[in-house]
């Protein structure tokens, strides 16, 4: 098909005999016509309107032939186009044919395809389409650099041809290429003069990229021994442009033209141009966005092909964007409907239009990676399930997740909307007039409001159009507001099985809630193939990671920051190091320590700290500690939906951050007692915030180290039991001291042993003062429902009054033996009565008070039978009134305390979706 180009205002009309064997080149004001296929009916371009800025391409078809030509045509018409499973369709995008080496790879795939017949659709070489559009932009902007830009296009294709072809094939291609470039220069010159190019002119210019690519590939295929014909699809594909910047294929007319084309060009291997087509009036046009994929699907339908294979640079369609979800998996099969939904909501592998032609004939589409031929890709077909490695059929209700960013939510609200016919029509009529695209619509059954999502770049025009349309209703109060909520994203869950699986929505929203994601709007069609939610843009990746993790049982990944790498914190990091592989392999839990901070130095990492050398890294690469920077780094990785801060200090300054961290969606785990035993008002605010959100705050290790004391108490209350009294030995240090304060051993000797064994604080007075026990008592009292301050708890201190604050820890240990006599007397009195001394804390819920003191217990009492640093706690409740519920075990030491914190971390992982 030859296309003539307007060159100057004095262009004359064109007439010729396009079927004549002698009409190879037509001269028009010394300019050769565009000769794309160089053998078919000639289109005449009338540029009379170009100079008024209203250029159009008008074509007249001329035909004349000798009687011999008619006889030849009759013979050719008898060649029938074979249709059906003998044909396979391949589509190669611009990346696949971007270089001469890649064109060879494509040729190898075509040659090795064992299909009886094959049609190959190709895009322009990589970047060429953009280069062609740039030519038009420069020309109509009257920038004469379009000439050198066109030379670059020529050079790119010339060098590729020189590398791939030789002999007559090379000469023929270069001749056609130079002829096309010459004519393009003439057309661009006309556009330069006019300062304007119509859509038809633009489509005509841009289409050359596909033609050159197809000519090159068909020549290389022939060079490799296959009989191959090149098809200019503008001679075959007929489309009707629509008002929405799209085109609708005319399958009936396209089928007729394909039959005629094939009768003149019978071949078992055809290389066809993608992206380009013609209107019914033979005006060149394109198939718009992702047109080459669309071309392949249309061809598949016209040929009734066995399969359409789309070759690209990814291994297939993923369950989520792998750039955002590292654990996204390749979906082996999708239904047409699932692929349609996912492609609409941002899965970039396929455009929704591509699926329409093949659905009619149940032709599967396969997505393959040309750079990874070992990958099986994704098949899109009429019936899609999934199978496990043993071939057993498994049904996943949600196949995949997709997102659309840079949206704004528009909310039209007012009591005057309810029950008023035509309101929705007026709203979306205004949106249409503003030229905006509505991505999602949501309306409550009360009809009080309608909200919808539009691209953020269009929202100002939409808001203005709505305010203009509804000005009277706004002034009269029938509409209360037209509100714009910017910075939104859409998250869509897609799956055909969602329609028959209860609980999918609950699982989706539960996963979002546990990731502390607020949902702004929801939409679901009655087909139930898709659930769409609108969320903050900043939450998008975290939300995507959270829901994917929940439905695909991929690893529950938690970003962790450890505050206080001292004795307990350091032991916890070592425990995490030792268990990391087991947690990943057996429980799908991926703990990533993103930061470690002490009071002076911190260590940060975007990918996760290597815990096998964390001490060396902290020492060698640590930076000055900064709590705000630390939290920002740990929480800043949006690809990890869950963040937990583990406070292993005993610092009230760190505890003061808890409320802000919870408010920002960070989980907190701590053995630090300061927050829960601090001022009552702050404690109540902290717990209220934690309860009203899905942010978790775990503090099991604040009482009893690794013993399940807090969880036992909470379990009793949650199941309806009533706490009467909690009494226990809460200090592992003091338990050790009094368990060993027997025989001839003095009290000071028992204290010294506890210090040397590592049970006591560096200054034993911190334990002997009873303050630590008092904090544990106040924590349990508040858990039991008592509103007590720490100052409400009377505490019996074991520190002699003269030694409370007047000396150092070393001096205290030297002076303590001078006061042994007093404690020795109390021990002897207890022994004489058949009792032992124990330092206990008591929560008297009935009388709403608590105490910390040294008490005597009969030797048969459970408190008298402890050993080492064991803790023991007795819960007296309505259910356990006659015989208290006893919890007993080690209550001191870095290993058990860190173990208690670790247990809370695993409990958090379970709540966030990890298998329990």
């Amino acid at each position: 098909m030859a296309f003539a180009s307007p060159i100057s205002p004095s262009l004359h009309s064109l007439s010729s005999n396009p079927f004549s064997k002698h009409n190879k080149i037509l001269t028009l004001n010394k300019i050769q016509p565009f000769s794309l296929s160089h053998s078919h009916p000639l289109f005449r371009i009338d540029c009379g309107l170009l100079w008024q800025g209203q250029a159009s391409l008008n074509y007249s078809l001329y035909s004349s032939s000798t009687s011999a030509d008619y006889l030849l045509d009759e013979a050719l018409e008898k060649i029938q186009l074979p249709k059906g499973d003998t044909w396979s369709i391949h589509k190669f995008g611009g990346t696949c044919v971007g270089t001469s080496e890649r064109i060879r790879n494509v040729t190898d795939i075509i040659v090795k395809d064992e299909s009886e017949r094959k049609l190959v659709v190709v895009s322009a070489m990589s970047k060429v389409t953009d280069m062609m559009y740039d030519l038009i932009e420069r020309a109509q902007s009257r920038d004469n650099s379009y000439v050198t830009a066109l030379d670059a296009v020529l050079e790119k294709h010339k060098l590729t041809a020189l590398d791939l072809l030789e002999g007559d094939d090379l000469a023929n291609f270069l001749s056609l290429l130079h002829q096309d470039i010459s004519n393009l220069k003439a057309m661009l010159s006309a556009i330069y003069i006019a300062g304007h190019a119509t859509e038809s002119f633009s489509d005509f210019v841009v289409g050359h990229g596909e033609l050159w690519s197809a000519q090159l590939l068909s020549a290389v295929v022939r060079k490799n021994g296959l009989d191959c014909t090149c098809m200019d699809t503008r001679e075959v594909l007929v489309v009707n442009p629509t008002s929405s910047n799209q085109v609708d294929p005319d399958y009936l007319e396209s089928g007729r033209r394909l039959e005629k084309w094939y009768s003149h060009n019978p071949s078992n291997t055809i290389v066809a141009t993608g992206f380009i087509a013609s209107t019914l009036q033979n005006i060149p046009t394109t198939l718009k966005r992702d047109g080459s994929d669309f071309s392949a699907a249309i061809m598949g339908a016209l040929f009734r092909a066995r399969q359409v294979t789309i070759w690209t640079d990814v291994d297939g369609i993923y369950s989520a964007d792998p750039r955002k979800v590292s654990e996204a998996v390749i979906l082996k099969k999708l239904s047409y409907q699932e692929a349609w939904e996912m492609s609409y909501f941002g899965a970039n592998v396929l455009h929704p239009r591509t699926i329409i032609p093949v659905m009619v004939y149940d032709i599967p589409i396969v997505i393959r990676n040309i750079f990874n031929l070992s990958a099986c890709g994704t098949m899109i077909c009429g019936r899609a399930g999934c199978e496990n490695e043993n071939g057993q059929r498994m049904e996943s209700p949600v196949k995949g997740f997709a997102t659309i960013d840079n949206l704004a939510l528009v909310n039209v609200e007012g009591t005057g909307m309810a029950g008023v016919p035509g309101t929705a029509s007026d709203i979306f009529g205004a949106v249409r007039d503003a030229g905006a695209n509505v991505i999602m619509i949501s309306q409550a059954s009360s009809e009080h409001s309608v909200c919808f999502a539009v691209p953020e770049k269009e929202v100002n025009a939409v808001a203005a159009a709505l305010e203009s349309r509804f000005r009277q209703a706004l002034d009269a109060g029938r509409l209360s507001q037209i509100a714009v909520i910017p910075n939104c994203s859409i998250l869509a869950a897609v799956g055909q099985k969602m329609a028959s699986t209860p609980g999918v929505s609950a699982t989706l929203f539960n996963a979002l809630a546990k990731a502390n994601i607020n949902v702004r709007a929801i939409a679901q069609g009655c087909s139930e193939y898709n659930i769409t939610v609108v969320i903050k843009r900043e939450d998008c990746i975290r939300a995507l990671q959270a829901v994917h993790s929940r439905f695909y049982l991929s690893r529950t990944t938690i970003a962790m920051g450890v505050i206080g790498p001292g004795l307990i914190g350091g032991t916890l990091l070592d425990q995490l190091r030792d268990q990391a592989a087991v947690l990943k392999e057996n429980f799908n839990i991926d703990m990533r320590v993103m930061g470690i901070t002490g009071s002076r130095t911190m260590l940060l990492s975007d990918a996760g700290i290597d815990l096998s050398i964390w001490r060396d890294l902290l020492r060698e690469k640590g930076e000055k500690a900064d709590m705000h920077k630390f939290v920002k780094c740990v929480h800043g990785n949006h690809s990890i939906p869950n963040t937990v801060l583990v406070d292993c200090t005993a610092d009230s300054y760190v505890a003061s951050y808890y409320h802000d961290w919870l408010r920002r969606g960070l989980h907190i785990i701590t053995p630090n007692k300061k927050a829960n035993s601090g001022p009552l008002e702050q404690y109540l605010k902290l717990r209220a915030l934690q309860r009203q959100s899905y942010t978790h705050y775990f503090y099991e290790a604040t009482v009893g180290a690794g013993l399940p004391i807090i969880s036992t108490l909470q379990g009793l209350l949650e199941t309806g039991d009533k706490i009467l009294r909690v009494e226990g030995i809460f200090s592992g240090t003091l338990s050790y001291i009094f368990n060993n304060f027997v025989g001839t051993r003095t009290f000071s000797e028992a204290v010294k042993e506890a210090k040397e064994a590592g049970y006591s604080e560096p200054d034993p007075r911190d334990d002997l003062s009873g303050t630590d026990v008092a904090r544990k008592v106040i924590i349990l009292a508040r858990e039991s429902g008592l509103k007590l301050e720490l100052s409400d708890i009377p505490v019996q201190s074991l520190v002699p009054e003269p030694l409370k604050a007047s000396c150092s820890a070393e001096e205290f240990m030297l002076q303590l033996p001078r006061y042994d006599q007093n404690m020795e007397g109390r021990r002897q009195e207890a022994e004489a009565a058949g009792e032992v001394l124990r330092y206990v804390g008591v929560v008297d819920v009935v009388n709403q008070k608590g105490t910390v003191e040294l008490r005597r217990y009969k030797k048969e009492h459970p408190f008298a039978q402890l050993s080492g640093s064991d803790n023991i706690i007795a819960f007296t409740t309505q259910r356990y009134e006659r015989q208290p519920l006893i919890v007993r075990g080690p209550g001191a030491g870095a290993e058990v305390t860190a173990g208690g914190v670790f247990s809370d971390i695993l409990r958090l992982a379970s709540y966030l979706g990890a298998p329990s």
Side-chain angles (χ1 to χ4, degrees):
M1 194 176 291
F3 298 89
S5 167
I7 305 306
S8 70
S10 60
L11 286 180
H12 302 293
S13 61
L14 171 68
S15 66
S16 66
N17 177 3
F19 294 117
S20 170
K21 303 299 182 184
H22 306 290
N23 187 25
K24 296 297 182 185
I25 298 176
L26 182 69
T27 302
L28 176 62
N29 286 3
K30 298 183 179 181
I31 301 297
Q32 295 175 339
F34 294 172
S35 185
L36 297 182
S37 64
H38 308 281
S39 61
H40 291 288
L42 177 70
F43 293 106
R44 184 185 68 199
I45 302 177
D46 181 1
C47 279
L49 297 177
L50 175 66
W51 317 112
Q52 290 105 35
Q54 297 177 324
S56 62
L57 295 179
N58 299 309
Y59 302 97
S60 299
L61 179 63
Y62 299 86
S63 64
S64 63
S65 61
T66 63
S67 59
D69 289 332
Y70 280 124
L71 291 173
L72 177 61
D73 286 347
E74 280 187 24
L76 291 172
E77 292 290 349
K78 293 181 181 178
I79 300 176
Q80 297 293 315
L81 170 67
K83 297 182 179 181
D85 288 351
T86 59
W87 286 97
S88 66
I89 310 294
H90 295 267
K91 179 266 172 177
F92 295 94
T95 306
C96 300
V97 293
T99 65
S100 55
E101 184 59 35
R102 290 180 181 178
I103 292 175
R104 289 191 186 96
N105 294 339
V106 168
T107 303
D108 192 48
I109 291 172
I110 296 169
V111 171
K112 290 181 178 178
D113 180 4
E114 297 179 355
S115 301
E116 184 178 343
R117 298 180 178 91
K118 46 213 167 192
L119 181 136
V120 179
V121 176
V122 289
S123 301
M125 293 179 69
S126 180
K127 308 296 183 185
V128 167
T129 299
D130 290 339
M131 294 170 75
M132 302 301 283
Y133 276 120
D134 181 60
L135 291 174
I136 298 166
E137 182 62 32
R138 293 187 189 209
Q140 66 182 0
S141 300
R142 294 196 168 112
D143 178 355
N144 59 15
S145 65
Y146 76 84
V147 177
T148 55
L150 183 59
D151 289 340
V153 174
L154 168 64
E155 191 67 14
K156 181 180 180 72
H157 290 86
K158 180 179 177 181
L159 291 175
T160 304
L162 289 170
D163 193 25
L164 291 171
L165 304 176
E166 55 191 21
D168 290 344
D169 286 338
L170 176 61
N172 290 338
F173 176 80
L174 291 179
S175 174
L176 296 176
L177 177 64
H178 282 285
Q179 179 179 315
D180 290 340
I181 293 293
S182 176
N183 287 315
L184 279 174
K185 281 183 179 178
M187 177 170 273
L188 290 168
S189 176
I191 293 172
Y192 178 90
I193 295 170
H196 175 73
T198 64
E199 182 179 357
S200 298
F201 271 66
S202 297
D203 290 346
F204 185 69
V205 172
V206 171
H208 284 74
E210 273 69 22
L211 185 81
W212 295 328
S213 179
Q215 289 171 343
L216 271 172
L217 180 60
S218 60
V220 178
V221 171
R222 284 193 298 271
K223 181 181 175 182
N224 279 264
L226 286 184
D227 177 28
C228 181
T229 302
C230 181
M231 175 195 287
D232 178 359
T233 49
R234 289 178 295 190
E235 300 170 21
V236 174
L237 293 189
V238 178
V239 297
N240 299 310
T242 68
S243 59
S244 56
N245 196 33
Q246 292 187 1
V247 294
D248 294 330
D250 185 336
Y251 291 100
L252 189 61
E253 180 61 25
S254 297
R256 292 194 189 107
R257 294 193 182 190
L258 176 60
E259 294 276 1
K260 184 173 182 179
W261 183 92
Y262 190 84
S263 69
H264 288 77
N265 303 276
S267 177
N268 287 340
T269 303
I270 302 170
V271 176
T273 56
F275 184 57
I276 55 177
S278 293
T279 67
L280 195 58
Q281 295 76 33
N282 297 322
I283 299 174
T285 187
T286 67
L287 300 182
K288 315 306 176 188
R289 178 187 166 196
D290 293 308
S292 293
D293 288 354
F294 198 17
S295 298
I298 295 170
M299 285 297 182
L302 293 176
F303 280 88
R304 308 294 192 270
R306 173 179 57 83
Q307 178 175 293
V308 175
T309 303
I310 307 290
W311 292 91
T312 180
D313 56 359
V314 295
D315 288 343
I317 297 178
Y318 284 84
S319 55
D321 188 338
R323 295 168 299 182
K324 300 176 181 178
V325 181
S326 60
E327 293 160 346
V329 298
I330 295 292
L331 300 172
K332 292 185 178 180
K333 282 189 178 181
L334 284 173
S335 70
Y336 293 124
Q337 291 82 2
E338 288 168 337
W340 196 338
E341 294 277 3
M342 288 192 68
S343 59
Y344 177 78
F345 283 99
N348 294 324
V349 175
L350 209 59
H351 192 277
R353 292 183 308 162
T354 305
I355 301 166
I356 299 172
V358 296
M359 283 180 65
V360 178
Y361 302 103
D362 200 19
I363 300 169
I365 299 177
V366 178
I367 310 297
R368 294 285 305 277
N369 188 351
I370 193 170
F371 304 114
N372 183 15
L373 299 180
S374 62
C376 60
T378 298
M379 176 176 283
I380 301 167
C381 54
R383 296 168 300 278
C386 61
E387 296 180 352
N388 63 12
E389 294 177 353
N390 299 320
Q392 297 172 326
R393 195 165 183 78
M394 300 171 62
E395 300 295 345
S396 175
V398 178
K399 279 292 185 66
F401 302 90
T403 59
I404 304 177
D405 293 323
N406 302 317
L407 300 177
L409 202 60
V410 180
N411 185 44
V412 182
E413 185 176 308
T415 55
M417 294 172 57
V420 179
T423 302
S425 175
D426 289 343
I427 291 171
F428 294 109
V431 175
R432 177 202 60 211
D433 294 343
N437 179 35
V438 176
I439 308 296
M440 187 210 82
I441 304 169
S442 180
Q443 180 180 17
S445 58
S446 67
E447 302 182 57
H448 179 69
S449 67
V450 176
C451 72
F452 53 92
V454 296
E456 202 157 36
K457 63 184 179 181
E458 299 172 356
V459 72
N460 290 334
V462 169
L466 289 170
E467 287 175 0
S468 175
R469 178 71 62 90
F470 292 101
R471 173 50 53 199
Q472 184 177 353
L474 286 165
D475 292 342
R478 294 194 304 276
L479 287 186
S480 58
Q481 67 170 346
I482 297 172
V484 172
I485 305 173
N487 302 319
C488 292
S489 291
I490 275 179
L491 168 65
V494 174
Q496 199 164 349
K497 281 292 176 181
M498 289 165 55
S500 57
T501 306
V504 174
S505 295
T507 303
L508 176 75
F509 292 114
N510 186 261
L512 291 172
K514 289 188 174 182
N516 204 43
I517 306 295
N518 179 49
V519 175
R520 289 177 162 172
I522 305 166
Q524 181 179 21
C526 61
S527 69
E528 298 185 59
Y529 289 170
N530 160 329
I531 300 174
T532 303
V533 298
V534 179
I535 56 180
K536 290 181 182 179
R537 184 191 304 160
E538 65 194 58
D539 292 336
C540 185
I541 296 177
R542 196 154 47 91
L544 184 61
Q545 180 90 17
V547 295
H548 187 277
S549 175
R550 179 60 57 91
F551 280 96
Y552 272 86
L553 294 179
S554 56
R555 287 197 183 112
T556 300
T557 306
I558 301 175
M560 186 184 304
V562 176
I563 304 167
L567 188 59
I568 294 172
T571 304
L572 173 65
L573 289 167
D574 292 340
Q575 291 177 353
L576 288 168
R577 174 201 63 204
D578 296 341
Q579 284 296 107
V582 174
L583 291 174
K584 281 185 182 180
E585 184 175 349
N586 296 342
F587 300 97
N588 282 326
I589 300 172
D590 185 2
M591 302 285 186
R592 299 186 193 175
V593 177
M594 316 300 285
I596 301 170
T597 184
S599 59
R600 296 183 179 86
T601 309
M602 68 179 180
L603 177 66
L604 305 175
S605 171
D606 291 332
I609 296 168
D610 183 353
L611 295 184
S612 64
I613 54 172
W614 71 266
R615 288 181 176 85
D616 295 335
L617 292 173
L618 183 62
R619 182 175 58 255
E620 297 168 7
K621 297 186 178 181
E623 56 187 278
K624 184 179 179 180
D626 182 325
M627 188 62 73
H628 294 287
K629 183 178 180 181
F630 173 79
V631 173
K632 184 177 180 180
C633 175
V634 174
H635 191 46
N637 192 327
H638 294 296
S639 66
I640 303 177
N642 308 297
T643 303
V644 59
L645 295 176
V646 183
D647 174 19
C648 294
T649 72
D651 194 333
S652 57
Y653 171 74
V654 176
S656 69
Y657 282 104
Y658 289 3
H659 188 276
D660 181 60
W661 292 342
L662 288 173
R663 183 182 56 80
R664 292 164 58 186
L666 287 82
H667 307 288
I668 298 173
I669 293 172
T670 184
N672 186 347
K673 295 177 270 294
K674 297 298 173 64
N676 283 12
S677 63
L680 179 63
E681 183 181 358
Q682 294 181 17
Y683 165 80
L684 293 175
K685 284 177 60 180
L686 187 66
R687 293 306 309 275
L689 176 63
Q690 183 260 322
R691 288 190 181 102
Q692 71 188 17
S693 70
Y694 274 88
T695 309
H696 296 286
Y697 172 41
F698 294 148
Y699 44 88
E700 183 71 74
T702 57
V703 180
L707 296 178
I709 297 172
I710 298 288
S711 56
T712 298
L713 176 57
Q714 290 174 341
L716 291 169
L717 292 170
E718 289 167 1
T719 57
D721 204 352
K722 183 177 180 181
I723 307 298
L724 304 177
R725 181 184 182 89
V726 181
E727 184 175 3
I729 298 173
F730 296 105
S731 169
T733 304
L734 293 172
S735 176
Y736 182 90
I737 289 171
F738 284 100
N739 286 336
N740 289 276
F741 182 32
V742 294
T744 60
R745 189 178 284 113
T746 65
F747 182 72
S748 61
E749 290 173 342
V751 172
K752 184 180 179 182
E753 286 182 18
K755 187 175 187 300
E756 291 174 348
Y759 291 121
S760 79
E761 295 294 331
D763 188 339
R765 285 174 293 186
D766 292 340
D767 297 296
L768 296 174
S769 68
T771 303
D772 184 66
V773 176
R775 290 189 180 278
K776 296 176 182 179
V777 167
I778 203 69
I779 290 171
L780 294 176
R782 289 173 176 177
E783 288 290 326
S784 302
L786 302 184
K787 291 182 170 56
L788 299 177
E789 294 281 7
L790 186 60
S791 58
D792 295 330
I793 307 295
V795 180
Q796 181 182 355
S797 174
L798 301 182
V799 181
E801 190 67 32
L803 301 182
K804 283 188 175 179
S806 61
C807 57
S808 65
E810 292 75 15
E811 184 65 23
F812 168 78
M813 292 303 298
L814 291 174
Q815 296 292 331
L816 185 59
R818 296 169 52 190
Y819 300 91
D820 281 341
Q821 187 173 358
N822 179 47
M823 193 61 71
E824 178 63 26
R826 300 182 68 172
R827 182 180 64 118
Q828 290 177 2
E829 287 179 13
E831 285 185 350
E835 297 173 338
V836 296
L837 295 175
R838 293 293 183 261
Y839 195 80
V840 299
V842 179
V843 179
D844 186 346
V845 179
V846 175
N847 296 305
Q848 297 191 355
K849 66 179 184 178
T851 57
V852 175
E853 60 187 0
L854 187 65
R855 288 188 174 185
R856 289 158 48 171
Y857 293 89
K858 293 292 183 181
K859 291 185 178 180
E860 60 271 17
H861 193 280
F863 286 15
Q865 297 171 15
L866 295 184
S867 61
S869 62
D870 282 3
N871 282 185
I872 186 167
I873 295 89
F875 294 95
T876 303
T877 72
Q878 283 186 340
R879 294 177 189 160
Y880 297 95
E881 188 169 5
R882 295 183 61 186
Q883 186 172 352
L885 175 65
I886 301 291
V887 177
R888 173 181 170 176
E895 287 288 337
V896 293
T897 304
V901 176
F902 200 164
S903 178
D904 272 349
I905 294 172
L906 296 180
R907 182 155 64 114
L908 173 65
S910 178
Y911 283 12
L912 296 175
S916 56

